[in-house]
Amino acid sequence: MLTLPACRVYVGTDDGLFTFDVDGEQVDRVGRSLAGETVRDVSVHPGDPDVAAVGCGLRGWGLHRVTDAGDRARTVGFADEWVWGVTRDPADPDAVYVGTEPPGLFHGRPGGDDGFETVSDFATLPTREDWSFGHDPFAAGHVHGITVADATLLAAVEHGAVLFSRDGGETWEDALPGIDAHDTALVEGRFVVTAGTAGDAAGGLLWSEDATEWHRIDRFDGMYVKELVQSADGRLFVDAAPDPTADTAGVWNSDDGGRTWTSVGAVPPASVVGCNLLSTHPTDARTLFHATHYAGEAQLVVSTDRGATWAEVGPQLPTIRSVDAAPLP
């Protein structure tokens, strides 16, 4: 029987939010809300794992706030927009950055009295008119994969570009026009971007020292790369599909800041249908979470050996789109 280090796991699906507490051999559902909504991203408050900001989009709308481990949700903004990215502000853990479709980036405190301020709608960027996602009513690229580091902001546009600001969002530039960008990170002073292979995009894993001159990591050429996460000991992980037409992905890791990568496999094969499926345990560096996807049914899966082997945990769920692990209260 698998013995799991204790944590709370928020699982966003095509039919709302499920929350599980795992500890040893126990997996207990402690929250269920937002039925009928597709949950794209979850950002748990670093000081209170009962509190999270939840973004919904494509089916369903808006930003929602839960304060009881996800058993009830309250809409706190963007009721007529799709929310694809939610990232905590490291300078203010009560605040989040919100990426939307129609494309926009916002900042504010969920549940606060001041609402959200527009960081940018990116309307004047050279590549803006070419962003596309292909789903009505917006059919525009969405903003997600948001990284915040002091005055530097970095964001991905799926089927669009990589967006960056060096002055806290006062001014913006774009890069890599036409890229199918999924996730961004700042690792040892380098910008890192994961990319898919939609349209003419080449996909892969790219890095830059200055967000203007970009380099591809050869090992991932032509691959469909989704999430990039960092474990408690600093090791990096990505999930990537070597065959862009495949519907399952493997997991790769790096212990030197992303310079070299090793395949660690994925058993059972990991899903590629979500936005934020790969999650590290908040305190145990060897434990990862992901999801499977079989004909509309999904399963949360966990590895306690850095991705070498995987086991299914908890009940079957609707298609999983996001996974986020947090400490238990």
Side-chain angles (χ1 to χ4, degrees):
M1 190 74 176
L2 188 67
T3 301
L4 299 174
C7 70
R8 173 166 290 166
V9 187
Y10 286 84
V11 182
T13 77
D14 272 358
D15 190 21
L17 182 68
F18 295 78
T19 312
F20 300 94
D21 283 355
V22 301
D23 189 359
E25 298 178 0
Q26 289 291 113
V27 179
D28 299 318
R29 196 180 86 179
V30 296
R32 171 74 171 107
S33 58
L34 293 168
E37 306 267 351
T38 296
V39 174
R40 294 290 171 179
D41 203 2
V42 179
S43 179
V44 183
H45 193 291
D48 188 349
D50 284 344
V51 177
V54 183
C56 297
L58 195 57
R59 185 175 73 176
W61 316 79
L63 183 71
H64 312 269
R65 185 171 188 256
V66 298
T67 57
D68 53 3
D71 213 35
R72 290 183 299 266
R74 179 167 65 95
T75 303
V76 292
F78 310 98
D80 297 320
E81 295 168 291
W82 294 338
V83 174
W84 288 79
V86 188
T87 297
R88 289 283 158 183
D89 183 346
D92 180 2
D94 290 325
V96 294
Y97 286 87
V98 179
T100 65
E101 183 173 348
L105 185 64
F106 302 83
H107 180 268
R109 293 186 173 194
D113 296 329
D114 298 329
F116 288 83
E117 295 182 354
T118 302
V119 180
S120 180
D121 62 5
F122 310 110
T124 61
L125 291 180
T127 66
R128 171 64 182 85
E129 65 181 23
D130 297 323
W131 302 351
S132 66
F133 184 57
H135 288 272
D136 292 333
F138 306 120
H142 47 261
V143 177
H144 62 165
I146 305 160
T147 295
V148 185
D150 298 323
T152 299
L153 298 174
L154 192 66
V157 179
E158 191 163 355
H159 308 182
V162 174
L163 316 176
F164 60 97
S165 172
R166 297 182 174 93
D167 53 16
E170 291 293 323
T171 59
W172 286 89
E173 301 174 68
D174 56 5
L176 300 169
I179 192 173
D180 182 26
H182 289 295
D183 206 358
T184 68
L186 188 61
V187 181
E188 298 182 359
R190 302 193 308 167
F191 301 105
V192 183
V193 173
T194 69
T197 53
D200 297 328
L205 191 63
L206 301 92
W207 66 272
S208 174
E209 300 283 359
D210 57 8
T212 55
E213 182 179 357
W214 292 86
H215 311 273
R216 291 184 179 275
I217 296 175
D218 291 343
R219 181 177 289 273
F220 295 97
D221 278 355
M223 296 174 68
Y224 192 101
V225 187
K226 292 285 282 187
E227 294 88 19
L228 187 151
V229 297
Q230 192 165 23
S231 64
D233 63 355
R235 188 180 300 256
L236 301 175
F237 293 86
V238 297
D239 53 358
D243 177 359
T245 64
D247 59 359
T248 58
V251 176
W252 305 64
N253 73 18
S254 172
D255 59 6
D256 60 3
R259 291 166 178 82
T260 61
W261 292 84
T262 302
S263 173
V264 293
V267 182
S271 170
V272 296
V273 300
C275 301
N276 303 283
L277 291 174
L278 182 60
S279 181
T280 57
H281 192 283
T283 57
D284 188 287
R286 297 181 60 82
T287 299
L288 303 170
F289 294 93
H290 210 292
T292 62
H293 176 69
Y294 302 107
E297 292 186 339
Q299 189 87 45
L300 181 68
V301 292
V302 62
S303 171
T304 57
D305 51 14
R306 293 195 173 99
T309 60
W310 295 80
E312 297 180 343
V313 294
Q316 283 191 333
L317 296 170
T319 297
I320 296 174
R321 303 290 184 176
S322 63
V323 178
D324 194 24
L328 283 178

